[in-house]
Amino acid sequence: MMRTLSLELFHICSVDGGYTRSLRNQFPKQRNPPLPIPVLKKRKRLRFTHSSFICSATLAVMPDEKKKVFDVESAASLVKELRGSFNAGKTKSYEWRIAQLKGIEKMIDEREKDIIEALHEDLSKPELEAFVSEVSMSKGACKLALKELGHWMKPEKAKTSMTTYPSSAEIVSEPLGVVLVISTWNYPFLLSIDPVIGAIAAGNAVVLKPSEIAPAISTLLSKLLEEYLDNSSIRVVEGAVAETTALLEQKWDKIFYTGSPRVGRIVMAAAAKHLTPVTLELGGKCPVVVDSNVNLQVAVRRIIAGKWACNNGQACIAPDYVITTKDFAPKLIDVLRHELEEFFGKNPIESEDMSRIVSVQHFKRLTRLLDEDEVSDKIIIGGQRDENQLKIAPTILVDVPEDTEIMKEEIFGPLLPILTVENLEESFDVINSKSKPLAAYLFSENKQLQKDFVNNISSGGMLINDTILHLTVSSLPFGGVGESGMGSYHGKFSFDTFSHKKAVLYRGFTGESPARYPPYTPGKLKLLKTLTSGNIVSILLALLGFSKD
Amino acid sequence: MAEIVKHLEPDLEELRESYRSGKTKEASWRKSQLKGLLTLLKEQEKDIFKALEQDLGKHYAESYRDEVGTLTKSVNLALSSLKDWMSSRKAKLPIAAFPSTAEVFPEPLGLVLIISSWNFPFGLSLEPVIGAIAAGNSVVLKPSELAPASSSLLAKTIPTYLDKKAVKVIEGGAAIGEHLLRCKWDKIFFTGNARVGRIVLTAAANYLTPVTLELGGKCPAIFDSFSSSWDKEMVIKRVLGGKFGACAGQACIAIDYILVQEGFAPTLLELLRSMTKKMFGENPRETKSMARIINKQHFLRLKNLLDDPSVQSSIVHGGGMDEDNLFIEPTILMNPPLKASIMTDEIFGPLLPIITLKKIEDSIEFINSRPKALAIYVFTKNETLKRRIISETSSGSVTFNDAIIQYAADTIPFGGVGESGFGRYHGKFSFDTFTHEKAILRRSLLTEFWFRFPPWNDFKLALTKSAYSFDYFGFLLVLLGLKKNS
């Protein structure tokens, strides 16, 4: 009974995209007619260790007892408290940063099972996928930061020029202060913890607002961070629009947002009030261009891995659509059909190796895309759906008209339209006619085409002959451009994103040119001219009274 | 105005078309534009001096030092480094990703807007233009209408020296600025005050446009006690150069006020007085070596700062004003009330308050209780104090034993933090500011680990886990069927 209750609640929450907290609190009094509640199919592998925790929390709230809502005042006092810790200098020390990072590492090690279970609860994410794309990626980021932190924190020596001679200079990385991380639901653990690692490594106090659309992870994060990390400087605020709005009212020293361009605009406008710098990790329609000269089986497997094996297409760098030549399309489709069956079986809806759609709302959005006129008849593989399980089969469409919704908005789900062109160079125009994507993929052995692709397509990142993988390379900056966002992170870039690069210049007391100071004379101008030219010979000449000028 | 607005859309379309055509991406184009700028600076030097004299009463030596000279140096640096800046950087890869290569590829952002300021109307306009061009963007520059001679000289000369289909100057005031902010840009680079900075940022949010804000703030100078007379003379010169010598204090990195230990204050004041006389003469109104105030409005603003009687009574040197010529003498104040506007607002003029502290170390707390400054200057030989300033305060930059000069150092970033702005430029940083760093990973299509793909099972999970933990022995055991996923 308890179990069903909590699950139902979560589904109600995901319908309207949030307000988990308020709904949970008002549950006994709820007057709205319950929305159609999908029944989660129970699976053997899954153990709901958390449901009892959530449930007791839910039931503990008495009908007349109003839990204090997180409003602007609570947000203000939270920021004030964290600012106090930051100003005391606590978070700046190397030791504090290392201790917190070790806390995260320990948390992931000890609570891996809980994390994977919560991911299953929120998204039916297969265990291996959850392990690879969330647990081990987070652990990797943490390990790297632990290993490199000393190196990252070291001031960077800079060369100095003749104009400022004699002097020495360095660039010092300093924390920004109190930062806000707003994350999202598709990789709810990784996309929360990864920026938090960067913020901590850089020595900031952090507030994390996980997504209410993945409630199990949100609750888990709130619990775990409290248990494993220093609460005087690191906090989790759970909630939806109201809580986020209260947070955005505050003055932050940096806001790191992952999500949609629409909310990205709201975040940036809110940040403008306080001149707060933002990093926006958004999405976009990531194209995949497939040439005819490739090892088709490998290419197709890599497309499938990036699309359906990554949260069932609900990823900001998932392939959104494919462009290939008219002649090659049938072959590509054949192999796709074959490999999809290989991976997910004849009835993919029943496959446990694929995540479900996160919420009824998103399920409806996706089926609406499919049901549009001129789209529904273009389906050549898949199309099956099961609203109760929130599952949609891998679906492939061919030559959907450009002016349909599916070709205009980011799909963020298991649908993959294939556009055909006469020759592959036309794909550049198709891609450039849309806003800049977060990632662009090309499968081709043709070196010239690879070069043209790199030079002519603007995107956050680019991957030749694979999908998704560039995300795992910590030596590459991960971030968008144009509509896909601004700023970047991962590895050292995460540290930099949450740091201010302070320029420090040291000057001695000797070797100064009087030309710098008033009263000014024509002779001083001449001397200045040669000094700024950086040419030693002319400087000598000028100092001796000879000048070419 | 109506004329400009009517032309705006077709003008911008032409700029976008130039960018789309790919010509601005070519190294040859970037080089030719930078060379064009160099020629402009050389051939128009006299006119630039004249415009600056007209707008701000700047002496040509100052104009050369702060604008033409610094710009020439920057263009030369961009020209000689362009190839290096433009080439992509290899990134290291873990062995697990083998066989593949990774690089970071710098690509231009597109069409960028540069809004500059009136105090260094050439320097603050062209310094970012150098970065934008070097990075391969098409550019709109809106110079400040408050320095009209400089603005119109830029509008007149830039089209003749640079590619007018890709670089345009649009003159005008706030109304034109608003019009421009309503358009879609790929980057906005703004130099000015925090109030307008907020407007720019809000407008940019509409199109998710990245912004660099170069703002100002009250830049403190901490003045430790010096004993050697050589040192004293040297640092006093640098303080005065950093206050009155740079556009009469109308500079975002000008020294705003001095913090000094009580006991040393009389000595400091004496030194400042005598050196001011050496630099600007007994009668500073006749000096040609100091700029005037930009306009009446700013003149009155500065005058008002001194109006408060308790501020007025703290004047210990200067204070004279010539409203007709918009000139204010180098003015020094001793301990004006901290609540007075002169100690809460950015001064941006030739008024220099000295605040005395019990201990010089108290300056850290003093600075930290105020918004973050664009620059902190510290005149000291005390290494402990230096270290404490670096780690315990926050500011755009810290310069020890000098002022202003960090503007000319192109190996360190120039930019603010907090209220003094965000983003950075100068040297390679200018190039980076107008560049998107595209991450590129190349893979070969050889077959690979089959356990990367579904259907998932415990065997694949165990393999993946040991691969991720670099447990090669465990990996082997799993493969041989000797170890199960725990």
Side-chain angles (χ1 to χ4, degrees), chain A residues 208-497:
Chain A
L208 166 68
K209 213 297 285 167
S211 169
E212 75 284 5
I213 300 176
I217 283 287
S218 173
T219 312
L220 184 65
L221 279 167
S222 151
K223 202 179 101 177
L224 293 189
L225 263 57
E226 194 181 332
E227 198 178 321
Y228 285 87
L229 303 180
D230 174 3
N231 291 298
S232 70
S233 313
I234 304 165
R235 288 291 177 77
V236 176
V237 173
E238 286 192 87
V241 179
E243 289 81 356
T244 310
T245 311
L247 288 169
L248 285 176
E249 286 276 307
Q250 310 308 314
K251 180 184 186 327
W252 303 93
D253 298 302
K254 171 98 192 187
I255 302 176
F256 187 104
Y257 169 78
T258 308
S260 70
R262 188 184 59 80
V263 181
R265 287 180 166 83
I266 297 173
V267 169
M268 196 171 164
K273 265 189 290 182
H274 301 291
L275 293 172
T276 303
V278 289
T279 294
L280 301 178
E281 295 287 341
L282 315 175
K285 289 184 85 64
C286 304
V288 186
V289 176
V290 184
D291 198 355
S292 53
N293 58 13
V294 294
N295 178 337
L296 197 51
Q297 194 201 29
V298 175
V300 161
R301 287 184 159 210
R302 288 177 180 180
I303 293 171
I304 295 174
K307 179 82 178 176
W308 295 282
C310 278
N311 206 25
N312 208 1
Q314 302 170 97
C316 50
I317 51 169
D320 189 283
Y321 61 101
V322 169
I323 306 178
T324 192
T325 57
K326 272 202 170 49
D327 302 337
F328 192 63
K331 272 192 219 157
L332 175 67
I333 291 161
D334 278 347
V335 181
L336 268 169
R337 194 191 306 272
H338 177 259
E339 293 295 323
L340 276 172
E341 199 179 311
E342 191 94 330
F343 289 169
F344 303 111
K346 280 212 185 315
N347 188 3
I349 289 272
E350 297 303 324
S351 168
E352 295 194 352
D353 295 320
M354 206 162 49
S355 302
R356 63 166 163 84
I357 307 306
V358 66
S359 66
V360 174
Q361 186 202 9
H362 278 278
F363 183 89
K364 292 214 158 116
R365 180 182 61 79
L366 287 163
T367 50
R368 200 169 55 236
L369 291 181
L370 276 183
D371 294 341
E372 197 181 340
D373 286 347
E374 299 195 78
V375 174
S376 51
D377 58 340
K378 302 289 192 304
I379 299 175
I380 52 155
I381 298 177
Q384 303 89 331
R385 55 191 90 161
D386 178 349
E387 190 163 350
N388 285 333
Q389 289 192 72
L390 294 178
K391 286 227 167 179
I392 297 177
T395 301
I396 292 171
L397 309 96
V398 173
D399 282 331
V400 176
E402 287 266 18
D403 59 350
T404 51
E405 280 307 307
I406 196 171
M407 283 315 295
K408 285 195 288 191
E409 73 172 66
E410 185 178 1
I411 296 174
F412 225 72
L415 325 175
L416 183 70
I418 297 176
L419 297 184
T420 62
V421 288
E422 287 299 337
N423 62 64
L424 230 38
E425 279 72 21
E426 289 168 42
S427 64
F428 296 178
D429 290 336
V430 176
I431 298 169
N432 286 333
S433 71
K434 302 180 192 297
S435 20
K436 296 178 181 180
L438 187 53
Y441 303 110
L442 168 71
F443 286 89
S444 176
E445 299 279 21
N446 179 344
K447 291 277 177 248
Q448 187 56 44
L449 185 68
Q450 291 186 2
K451 208 175 149 204
D452 292 346
F453 192 73
V454 169
N455 286 327
N456 290 305
I457 305 292
S458 179
S459 59
M462 207 163 245
L463 181 43
I464 313 288
N465 292 330
D466 211 326
T467 64
I468 302 279
L469 265 196
H470 62 297
L471 172 96
T472 64
V473 178
S474 58
S475 56
L476 287 178
F478 181 77
V481 59
E483 280 283 304
S484 53
M486 60 181 85
S488 61
Y489 73 131
H490 284 182
K492 169 96 177 348
F493 303 101
S494 291
F495 176 84
D496 292 341
T497 286

Side-chain angles (χ1 to χ4, degrees), chain B residues 132-150:
Chain B
I133 289 173
N137 299 281
S138 52
V139 188
V140 168
L141 166 67
K142 194 202 87 65
S144 168
E145 77 283 9
L146 299 183
S150 305

Side-chain angles (χ1 to χ4, degrees), chain A residues 92 112-113 126-129 131-132 136 158-161 163-164 169-172 174-177 251 253 261 264-265 268-269 271-277 280 282 294-295 297-299 301-302 305 309 342-344 353 436 443-445 450 453-467 469-470 472-473 475-477 479-483 486 493 500-510 512 516-522 525 528-529 532, chain B residues 25 45 49 59-62 64-65 69 73 89 91-94 102-105 107 109 186 194 197-198 201-202 204-211 213 215 226 230-231 234-235 237-238 241 245 278-280 289 372 380-381 386 389-403 405-406 408-413 415-419 422 424 429 436-448 452-457 460-461 464-465 468:
Chain A
K92 284 188 190 172
E112 185 182 313
K113 267 214 154 54
E127 191 182 353
L128 188 132
E129 209 189 300
F131 174 78
V132 171
S136 82
K159 275 191 253 168
T160 48
S161 67
T163 334
T164 59
E170 59 185 3
I171 303 168
V172 175
E174 67 177 28
L176 292 164
K251 180 184 186 327
D253 298 302
R265 287 180 166 83
M268 196 171 164
K273 265 189 290 182
H274 301 291
L275 293 172
T276 303
L280 301 178
L282 315 175
V294 294
N295 178 337
Q297 194 201 29
V298 175
R301 287 184 159 210
R302 288 177 180 180
E342 191 94 330
F343 289 169
F344 303 111
D353 295 320
K436 296 178 181 180
F443 286 89
S444 176
E445 299 279 21
Q450 291 186 2
F453 192 73
V454 169
N455 286 327
N456 290 305
I457 305 292
S458 179
S459 59
M462 207 163 245
L463 181 43
I464 313 288
N465 292 330
D466 211 326
T467 64
L469 265 196
H470 62 297
T472 64
V473 178
S475 56
L476 287 178
V481 59
E483 280 283 304
M486 60 181 85
F493 303 101
H500 163 55
K501 301 288 172 186
K502 180 156 78 177
V504 179
L505 186 64
Y506 299 84
R507 290 269 289 150
F509 295 89
T510 49
E512 174 119 282
R516 270 182 67 193
Y517 306 112
Y520 303 119
T521 59
L525 175 64
L528 272 172
K529 283 195 173 178
T532 47
Chain B
K25 288 187 188 173
E45 185 182 283
F49 289 167
H59 189 279
Y60 58 80
E62 191 185 327
Y64 183 83
R65 184 194 64 201
K73 173 198 65 65
R89 223 172 50 235
K92 272 191 277 178
L93 279 175
E103 59 183 329
V104 178
F105 177 92
E107 81 178 14
L109 293 166
D186 297 300
R198 288 182 167 82
L201 203 50
T202 312
N206 258 334
Y207 292 110
L208 293 172
T209 305
V211 178
L213 296 179
L215 314 175
F226 285 90
W230 164 269
D231 293 347
M234 186 70 86
V235 293
K237 270 189 190 168
R238 289 175 179 176
K278 257 192 222 167
M279 280 185 175
F280 305 104
S289 294
K372 296 180 180 178
T380 185
K381 289 190 149 179
K386 286 185 190 174
I389 295 289
I390 293 178
S391 63
E392 292 175 35
T393 69
S394 179
S395 58
S397 66
V398 180
T399 301
F400 291 103
N401 297 319
D402 211 329
I405 198 151
Q406 78 273 21
D410 29 45
T411 50
I412 47 176
V417 60
E419 280 285 307
F422 55 78
R424 44 188 176 258
F429 304 102
H436 164 55
E437 297 212 312
K438 183 160 70 178
I440 301 176
L441 183 62
R442 296 166 201 271
R443 298 262 292 149
S444 93
L445 283 166
L446 296 172
T447 41
E448 65 202 312
R452 216 188 120 188
F453 305 111
W456 307 130
N457 52 39
K460 284 185 183 175
L461 177 61
T464 311
K465 278 195 176 178
Y468 269 85

